[in-house]
């Protein structure tokens, strides 16, 4: 086989190899970025579910308080008590406990919302970094292929002086 044919094969092989490696690096980085985007979407979705659940818990706590107050009034009325004195104290205590429960639900929901917001932002940041790393890696692989091709071509054109 003639030296020029070998050089051509080497040059083409370097270019194709660099191109394939660049495509593989970019594809892998895109897949990683897509996975991170899905993580961000799941965190956003979980945030919505968290807020809906907290709203439901608050509503349920208020309904329970309403039932307790109704039961207290009925029990007091059966015993001939008016809505004053110890009956009011009991209802106030129940209202205070319900308010504490509502605040606890709110704080928990806010904390979870903030955590999920941060998780989504982190996932999006990792996705962006993966895409950038893919572009840089693909560029490096393509540059390596070009360099290899240039080296093969340069070596074939370089003629050593005859030795005597």
């Amino acid at each position: 086989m003639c030296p020029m044919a070998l050089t051509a094969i080497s040059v083409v092989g370097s270019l194709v190899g660099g191109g394939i490696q660049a495509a593989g690096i970019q594809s892998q980085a895109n897949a990683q970025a897509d996975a991170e985007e899905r993580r961000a979407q799941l965190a956003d979705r979980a945030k919505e579910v968290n807020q809906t659940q907290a709203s439901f818990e608050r509503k349920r706590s208020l309904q329970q308080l309403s039932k307790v107050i109704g039961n207290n009034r009925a029990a007091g009325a059966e015993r001939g008590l008016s809505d004053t004195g110890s009956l009011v104290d009991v209802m106030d205590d129940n209202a205070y406990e319900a308010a504490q429960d509502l605040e606890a639900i709110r704080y928990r929901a806010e904390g979870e919302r903030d955590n999920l917001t941060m998780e989504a932002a982190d996932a999006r940041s990792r996705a962006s970094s993966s895409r950038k790393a893919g572009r840089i890696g693909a560029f490096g692989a393509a540059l390596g292929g070009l360099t290899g091709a240039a080296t093969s071509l340069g070596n074939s054109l370089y003629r050593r002086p005859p030795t005597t």
Side-chain angles (χ1 to χ4, degrees), residues 2 10 45 88 93 112 124 146 153 156:
C2 102
S10 178
R45 190 169 168 202
V88 171
D93 285 345
E112 185 67 16
R124 285 189 178 93
L146 287 172
L153 189 58
S156 73

Side-chain angles (χ1 to χ4, degrees), residues 66-135:
S66 184
K67 285 179 186 179
V68 167
I69 288 173
N71 288 339
N72 287 346
R73 281 193 176 127
E78 270 182 11
R79 292 178 179 85
L81 299 175
S82 64
D83 285 347
T84 59
S86 62
L87 183 58
V88 171
D89 292 340
V90 169
M91 287 191 280
D92 285 347
D93 285 345
N94 288 333
Y96 177 77
E97 288 299 319
Q100 293 297 317
D101 289 345
L102 293 174
E103 284 300 299
I105 291 167
R106 184 176 66 82
Y107 286 131
R108 182 200 51 79
E110 286 177 359
E112 185 67 16
R113 180 197 64 214
D114 292 346
N115 288 341
L116 291 167
T117 298
M118 188 169 62
E119 186 178 321
D122 287 347
R124 285 189 178 93
S125 176
R126 288 190 303 269
S128 176
S129 294
S130 290
R131 285 191 179 95
K132 285 178 188 172
R135 286 190 296 273

